[in-house]
Amino acid sequence: MKTEKEKMLSGELYSAVDPQLLEELNAVKSIIHQYNNLPPTAYEERFLMLKDLLGYMADDKTLIIQPFYCDYGKQIRVGKRFFANFNFTVLDEAFVTIGDDCFIGPNVSIYTACHSTDPIERNSRREWAEPVTIGNNVWIGGSVTILPGVTIGDNVTIGAGSVVVKDIPSNVIAAGNPCRVIRETPPNLPKGGEEENESARERGNENR
C-alpha cells in the first residue's frame, strides 16, 4: 500500500495532513528560517544549505537571494548558473525542474499543489500535485505566477505580472493573465566564452 508521500509524488490524491508529510514540512520550514536569516555575505554557507535542501543543483553557481520559500525542497531541481531574486516561492509537492541559465525575477511563485473546486472535497484536505518544467535560457519576470502542470520551453521570456496557466512553447516572448505568446523570437543563444556569458549575466543582475 502506498504512503501518502508516494501518492503525492505520483500525482494521485493524497492527504495533505498526513503526519509524515507534516513532519517533513515543519523540518523544511526550520531550514528555510535558518537560510533566510544568514548574512548576505555568507556565500559558502548559503550554498551548502541549498545543496542539502534542494533535490538537485547542476553546479556551484546557484544563487537564490533571500528570502526564499519552499515546501519540501527535494522536488526542486535546477540547472547550471541558476539565479532567483527576492521572495522566490515554490510549492514543490510535485517536481519542479528548471534548466540551465534561468533567471527568476522577484516575487515569482511556482505552484504544483492542486485543490478541488468542490468545497466538501477541498475541506477533506485531500489534494494532488502536477509537475512544472522550465527549459533552458528562460527569464521569468517579476511577480509571475506559474500554475501546476505547466511546461515552459527553451529561450523564453515571461513578462512581469503574468499568470501562466498553460504550456508556453520555446523561442517566444509571452505575457498576460492568462499568459499568452506575444511574439516568436529566434533562438539567439550566447556565442561567447563562459567569461563573456558570466559578464552578461552580471550586467543583467544589475538591471533587476
Side-chain angles (χ1 to χ4, degrees):
M1 186 175 182
K2 287 184 176 180
T3 65
E4 296 303 306
K5 183 174 183 178
E6 289 170 336
K7 293 176 187 177
M8 180 183 79
L9 295 177
S10 62
E12 301 174 41
L13 280 171
Y14 71 95
S15 172
V17 292
D18 174 70
Q20 178 193 358
L21 294 178
L22 292 177
E23 183 178 349
E24 291 188 25
L25 285 167
N26 287 328
V28 171
K29 286 179 183 177
S30 294
I31 296 171
I32 290 293
H33 177 77
Q34 295 173 46
Y35 179 81
N36 288 337
N37 284 279
L38 286 173
T41 54
Y43 303 115
E44 183 175 359
E45 192 172 355
R46 286 198 308 180
F47 171 76
L48 291 175
M49 289 192 73
L50 285 177
K51 188 175 181 181
D52 288 338
L53 177 63
L54 304 186
Y56 175 77
M57 296 194 309
D59 61 17
D60 61 357
K61 297 184 184 297
T62 295
L63 179 57
I64 300 179
I65 304 298
Q66 301 141 295
F68 164 59
Y69 304 98
C70 67
D71 276 343
Y72 294 94
K74 290 302 182 185
Q75 280 77 256
I76 302 172
R77 304 178 290 195
V78 300
K80 297 177 181 176
R81 298 172 293 276
F82 176 73
F83 172 83
N85 217 318
F86 304 104
N87 288 319
F88 183 39
T89 299
V90 185
L91 306 188
D92 59 315
E93 279 66 23
F95 284 104
V96 174
T97 305
I98 302 174
D100 297 340
D101 294 300
C102 287
F103 295 172
I104 305 291
N107 304 309
V108 167
S109 297
I110 299 177
Y111 305 147
T112 67
C114 302
H115 305 275
S116 174
T117 55
D118 181 291
I120 295 176
E121 186 176 351
R122 184 169 62 246
N123 290 341
S124 74
R125 302 300 189 266
R126 296 184 65 78
E127 58 186 59
W128 72 98
E130 299 177 7
V132 169
T133 302
I134 298 173
N136 300 319
N137 306 303
V138 174
W139 177 16
I140 308 293
S143 299
V144 167
T145 300
I146 300 173
L147 297 190
V150 163
T151 294
I152 296 173
D154 298 331
N155 315 314
V156 171
T157 297
I158 303 293
S162 298
V163 179
V164 187
V165 301
K166 294 183 179 179
D167 292 354
I168 303 295
S170 296
N171 306 313
V172 299
I173 295 172
N177 182 6
C179 188
R180 295 185 176 92
V181 173
I182 295 174
R183 65 181 173 90
E184 297 182 358
T185 59
N188 186 22
L189 303 182
K191 297 180 181 179
E194 179 58 31
E195 183 176 342
E196 179 180 335
N197 294 342
E198 190 68 32
S199 176
R201 278 190 293 275
E202 290 174 358
R203 292 195 296 274
N205 290 347
E206 292 172 356
N207 293 328
R208 283 186 176 79

